[in-house]
Amino acid sequence: MSILDSKIPEGPLADKWTNHKNKIDLVNPANKRNIDVIVVGTGLAGGSAAATLAELGYNVKTFCYQDSPRRAHSIAAQGGINAAKNYQGDGDSNYRLFYDTVKGGDYRSREANVYRLAEVSGNIIDQCVAQGVPFAREYGGLLDNRSFGGVLVSRTFYAKGQTGQQLLLGAYSAMNRQINRGKIKPYNRHEMLDIVKVDGKARGIIARDLVTGAIERHSAHAVVLATGGYGNVFFLSTNAMGSNVTAAWRAHRRGAYFANPCYTQIHPTCIPVSGDHQSKLTLMSESLRNDGRIWVPKKLEDAQAIREGKKKPTELSEEERDYYLERRYPAFGNLVPRDVASRAAKERCDAGFGVNKTGEAVYLDFAAAIQRYGKETALTEHISNPSEEEIKKLGAAVIENKYGNLFQMYQKIVDENPYETPMMIYPAVHYTMGGLWVDYNLQTTIEGCYAAGEANFSDHGANRLGASALMQGLADGYFVLPYTIGDYLSNDIRTGEISTETPEFDQAEKEVTERIQKLMGGAGNHSVDYYHKKLGKIMWNKCGMSRNAQGLSEAIDEIAALRKDFWENVKIPGTINSMNPELEKAGRVADFLELGELFAKDALDRNESCGGHFREESVEQSGEQKGEALRDDENFKYVSAWEYKGEPKDAQLHKEELIFKNIELKTRSYK
Ligand SMILES: Cc1cc2nc3c(=O)[nH]c(=O)nc-3n(C[C@H](O)[C@H](O)[C@H](O)COP(=O)(O)OP(=O)(O)OC[C@H]3O[C@@H](n4cnc5c(N)ncnc54)[C@H](O)[C@@H]3O)c2cc1C
């Protein structure tokens, strides 16, 4: 086992990034014109990176599997994006954002990266406003903020419940400007299936044209992977159906270490699973916890009556309700971090207080907020003695203004009116903190191969705070990578164009082609989804919200057996040389079947509870924190970075020791 060098610059925390930028090498504008960069992924991280690199003068090729960068999963982001602007004057600062993020991640992230993230967060908002992103504004015209979990300030900028969409339109417009200038050449509907290394350096990719099936070679001086998260290893998640691990996994197989694969975020406020027919889960944004109160009935008999349809939630008085987050965590209340809120919901449902037919749902209730806003509006509009009816109407209008599209979405899916009756919610897989290991420069362990956005492991530790993924993806793409990659590329100003007619490209293309042929050769009758669902069940039951050694060991064996069966018996209709969505899916599920095993191995290795990783063997046994996750800083204060060695079970662990000099390591408490 080796110790990894994260290349954190020397000096005081607040000066590291500035000093680093001042010292690293630059590429002069004329030389940039001779350097090619491949950016795989055009969501917020890849789109912003590609636009900025092209603006700087590099020749950029972008790849995405959708028909347009506009359709990246980032478009689904609802609630908002954090920045330490302190517009509310509530005491926010770079240090506070840094502190909240490190604490939120249960002290399992790198101090220097997180501080840099806080430092550039304000620039992101300025950049996006300049692009025309329509962030919500207050009455006076200033940008508005709301709160997200795990913090005591309001620092989240938002565009109703469509923040990701608006930010992506901004990044996409910036990309389009460069496409028009000929500085970005977009390859949409192309899937990267391998990375090509020449003399140990990333020098290109092998991609499949998803329309014609043609296998293509593309070369560059550096490759950026901004290919999103791998939550779909659970089959059911809030991620877009296409989100997958293939690009990251293929890089892993070529030498990029995979960090903390077991760190998964299970989001507390999703629409509960309704049956086996489902292939997708829907998020109800965390922003709703600004105004929604979470509760279950206090008495088991009331919960049972509700489940059986004999009682309605609105019939229960205040005294008959258990606002369990407000009760257990008075300081943060409904805005505790996601891992804490999810576990608390599971605890109540496991104890029999669940409120839907399956017993796996709790309420998110807006009645109090509707009353509060209604009375406030009546007062400001000088309506004297408003009736109950009027107050409700005025309050509902405020709620609609803030969260209208989310309420509409809920009503369409569940067929209940959330203005009249509380929403039902339950935790679901949402985000993956793990990903490709990167150093401070966002370079993976393959020289010249960088990773940005959700695809890397960099900033969130064992739990991500709400509204911080968009911040990190855009920080990486607009403000970090464009600088750090220059330091590497400054060695390539005399290299010239990278040829694709080399033995390395021949070999990589051959391996990709053979793998596709092998996939098509399955002799059985099972669909790709058959295997994906089975994998998802193993992952959810044995590597999900709570984990133990026995379950994880079983998962490792079961996934290995499932993978073997998959390769022998998967049935893929259609042909290779045409558009074939089943074939695309098969390649992705094949990679999930390897990642899933490494995930379980990583979770088994980490015999502590931290953030979203809850090991039943490591729980606080007494005192104020009784029942909460118990971290073990003495033995596990490290990033796990796994090196590919053939089968996932043979992966070799490397550790990056986490050093905390600017923040005191404490028990994470939100009470
Ligand atoms: C429902 C939902 C709501 C969310 N809301 C918020 C929020 O309010 N605030 C917040 O901060 N975060 C939110 N998140 C998280 C956030 O949206 C994501 O973490 C973030 O958008 C990821 O951006 P990305 O650029 O890293 O990846 P993505 O947006 O997932 O983009 C991945 C890109 O990679 C491409 N790609 C992948 N594999 C390949 C391949 N092999 N070959 C070619 N191209 C490939 C895809 O085509 C795509 O262009 C939310 C997540 C979900 C699921």
Side-chain angles (χ1 to χ4, degrees):
M1 186 178 64
S2 70
I3 302 293
L4 285 161
D5 178 8
S6 48
K7 303 206 173 86
I8 297 171
E10 293 299 321
L13 185 68
D15 299 338
K16 282 181 194 290
W17 179 230
T18 308
N19 290 344
H20 190 58
K21 279 190 297 178
N22 287 342
K23 282 184 193 152
I24 55 181
D25 282 335
L26 300 175
V27 181
N28 99 25
N31 284 332
K32 285 193 182 106
R33 288 197 282 273
N34 301 323
I35 292 186
D36 306 325
V37 182
I38 283 175
V39 179
V40 187
T42 50
L44 282 175
S48 56
T52 312
L53 290 167
E55 173 87 42
L56 285 172
Y58 297 107
N59 308 311
V60 178
K61 291 184 190 178
T62 60
F63 292 80
C64 71
Y65 57 75
Q66 290 94 346
D67 52 1
S68 158
R70 275 274 278 106
R71 300 174 74 88
H73 157 68
S74 287
I75 205 166
Q78 301 173 346
I81 174 167
N82 290 330
K85 287 271 201 189
N86 194 27
Y87 279 177
Q88 304 305 316
D90 54 3
D92 203 4
S93 63
N94 288 348
Y95 184 83
R96 254 187 207 284
L97 201 163
F98 156 75
Y99 173 84
D100 289 343
T101 308
V102 173
K103 176 183 170 191
D106 219 350
Y107 305 89
R108 289 292 173 264
S109 39
R110 208 186 266 157
E111 276 194 344
N113 283 54
V114 181
Y115 196 87
R116 173 177 66 189
L117 178 64
E119 234 181 315
V120 303
S121 65
N123 302 48
I124 299 171
I125 303 303
D126 297 343
Q127 164 97 354
C128 296
V129 168
Q131 286 170 346
V133 171
F135 284 122
R137 288 177 185 268
E138 288 175 342
Y139 176 74
L142 301 174
L143 295 185
D144 195 16
N145 292 124
R146 53 191 178 197
S147 298
F148 266 59
V151 309
L152 296 172
V153 294
S154 284
R155 63 162 73 102
T156 305
F157 295 78
Y158 64 100
K160 230 177 184 181
Q162 301 163 344
T163 315
Q165 178 175 0
Q166 299 304 331
L167 293 172
L168 192 60
L169 283 170
Y172 179 54
S173 312
M175 269 184 77
N176 262 338
R177 182 162 169 265
Q178 303 304 329
I179 293 171
N180 189 43
R181 289 178 64 218
K183 293 304 292 180
I184 292 183
K185 189 157 173 27
Y187 292 85
N188 302 339
R189 288 196 169 180
H190 275 69
E191 181 161 29
M192 170 199 148
L193 295 178
D194 212 343
I195 195 159
V196 184
K197 275 164 67 176
V198 180
D199 297 331
K201 293 181 175 175
R203 290 302 199 188
I205 63 167
I206 304 294
R208 180 168 179 266
D209 179 328
L210 298 179
V211 178
T212 65
I215 301 296
E216 299 173 0
R217 304 173 181 197
H218 295 272
S219 68
H221 296 88
V223 176
V224 178
L225 301 180
T227 45
Y230 52 86
N232 281 346
V233 66
F234 284 82
F235 185 68
L236 284 182
S237 88
T238 63
N239 288 9
M241 294 287 290
S243 295
N244 69 88
V245 78
T246 287
W249 194 255
R250 296 284 116 195
H252 172 58
R253 289 176 61 112
R254 294 274 178 206
Y257 294 180
F258 209 105
N260 301 330
C262 81
Y263 286 170
T264 312
Q265 176 156 90
I266 315 250
H267 197 298
T269 59
C270 303
I271 298 181
V273 175
S274 61
D276 260 355
H277 58 280
Q278 264 180 294
S279 52
K280 174 94 183 69
L281 294 176
T282 308
L283 174 78
M284 287 288 105
S285 167
E286 180 161 309
S287 59
L288 294 172
R289 285 199 272 147
N290 275 265
D291 285 311
R293 298 178 71 194
I294 294 179
W295 64 276
V296 290
K298 257 186 199 156
K299 290 189 241 143
L300 280 170
E301 53 269 33
D302 282 338
Q304 191 175 348
I306 287 175
R307 281 199 296 273
E308 289 169 358
K310 294 179 185 153
K311 242 185 191 172
K312 289 192 177 130
T314 44
E315 288 167 20
L316 261 59
S317 67
E318 279 298 294
E319 293 68 42
E320 290 168 316
R321 301 171 177 204
D322 176 15
Y323 294 96
Y324 57 88
L325 289 178
E326 297 171 29
R327 168 171 60 78
R328 286 180 63 179
Y329 308 99
F332 286 71
N334 292 294
L335 280 172
V336 287
R338 293 172 179 177
D339 57 326
V340 175
S342 290
R343 272 196 293 279
K346 182 176 186 306
E347 188 276 328
R348 284 294 76 191
C349 291
D350 288 352
F353 293 94
V355 293
N356 68 349
K357 281 196 186 119
T358 63
E360 291 194 326
V362 300
Y363 288 128
L364 178 64
D365 195 336
F366 293 85
I370 289 175
Q371 279 290 318
R372 179 164 41 87
Y373 286 127
K375 285 181 184 158
E376 193 181 304
T377 313
L379 203 66
T380 55
E381 293 187 1
H382 304 287
I383 303 170
S384 53
N385 295 324
S387 67
E388 266 306 303
E389 198 62 19
E390 270 177 304
I391 290 175
K392 233 173 117 178
K393 204 170 151 203
L394 292 169
V398 176
I399 291 288
E400 189 185 0
N401 202 22
K402 288 182 147 196
Y403 316 111
N405 68 316
L406 301 172
F407 273 53
Q408 190 190 35
M409 201 156 75
Y410 182 86
Q411 189 158 7
K412 282 202 169 159
I413 293 173
V414 182
D415 199 21
E416 282 186 2
N417 180 352
Y419 295 97
E420 298 292 338
T421 185
M423 288 183 180
M424 281 184 289
I425 49 155
Y426 196 69
V429 173
H430 177 66
Y431 181 88
T432 44
M433 282 75 69
L436 290 175
W437 185 88
V438 287
D439 64 17
Y440 186 74
N441 298 316
L442 303 184
Q443 186 166 223
T444 68
T445 47
I446 299 178
E447 230 188 311
C449 174
Y450 290 75
E454 195 174 337
N456 73 27
F457 89 105
S458 68
D459 295 354
H460 308 294
N463 172 62
R464 172 175 73 78
L465 290 184
S468 285
L470 302 184
M471 172 173 67
Q472 181 229 325
L474 291 180
D476 288 358
Y478 283 134
F479 296 109
V480 178
L481 188 92
Y483 290 101
T484 57
I485 204 170
D487 192 35
Y488 172 78
L489 292 171
S490 62
N491 297 313
D492 264 326
I493 54 176
R494 285 188 206 86
T495 307
E497 200 177 330
I498 308 286
S499 168
T500 55
E501 298 307 316
T502 60
E504 290 86 352
F505 274 93
D506 290 348
Q507 182 62 22
E509 183 180 321
K510 183 167 166 275
E511 286 177 26
V512 165
T513 309
E514 284 172 358
R515 184 167 183 267
I516 291 174
Q517 281 160 349
K518 194 171 166 204
L519 278 171
M520 294 298 288
N525 263 322
H526 292 310
S527 69
V528 177
D529 269 2
Y530 167 89
Y531 290 99
H532 198 178
K533 275 187 191 176
K534 276 190 177 270
L535 172 65
K537 286 232 159 85
I538 300 172
M539 296 299 296
W540 182 248
N541 293 334
K542 299 190 170 164
C543 316
M545 254 197 287
S546 76
R547 303 154 177 188
N548 60 50
Q550 190 192 334
L552 291 167
S553 305
E554 287 167 7
I556 291 173
D557 294 340
E558 286 171 26
I559 295 169
L562 188 65
R563 189 168 64 243
K564 184 168 177 293
D565 188 14
F566 169 89
W567 278 103
E568 284 165 9
N569 290 315
V570 69
K571 171 85 185 157
I572 302 167
T575 61
I576 292 177
N577 297 319
S578 63
M579 191 158 175
N580 188 341
E582 266 316 276
L583 175 59
E584 292 166 31
K585 220 160 49 175
R588 296 169 192 165
V589 170
D591 289 333
F592 278 142
L593 282 162
E594 292 185 13
L595 163 77
E597 191 181 329
L598 183 68
F599 185 125
K601 184 179 161 91
D602 183 48
L604 184 61
D605 172 75
R606 191 168 283 279
N607 190 12
E608 66 159 350
S609 294
C610 57
H613 170 63
F614 190 76
R615 281 288 298 265
E616 288 161 16
E617 298 89 340
S618 187
V619 181
E620 299 274 3
Q621 295 298 333
S622 58
E624 204 202 20
Q625 291 290 110
K626 188 166 184 242
E628 302 287 342
L630 176 62
R631 233 174 45 231
D632 176 356
D633 292 333
E634 208 176 307
N635 295 304
F636 293 98
K637 192 165 51 65
Y638 59 78
V639 174
S640 306
W642 296 94
E643 182 182 1
Y644 181 76
K645 289 280 180 192
E647 292 293 308
K649 68 174 168 33
D650 301 325
Q652 190 185 333
L653 178 64
H654 300 266
K655 294 181 183 175
E656 178 195 337
E657 198 61 32
L658 292 166
I659 296 160
F660 295 93
K661 287 189 184 158
N662 301 278
I663 206 164
E664 195 191 338
L665 272 174
K666 286 197 218 155
T667 300
R668 194 177 65 144
S669 170
Y670 289 96
K671 305 211 182 233

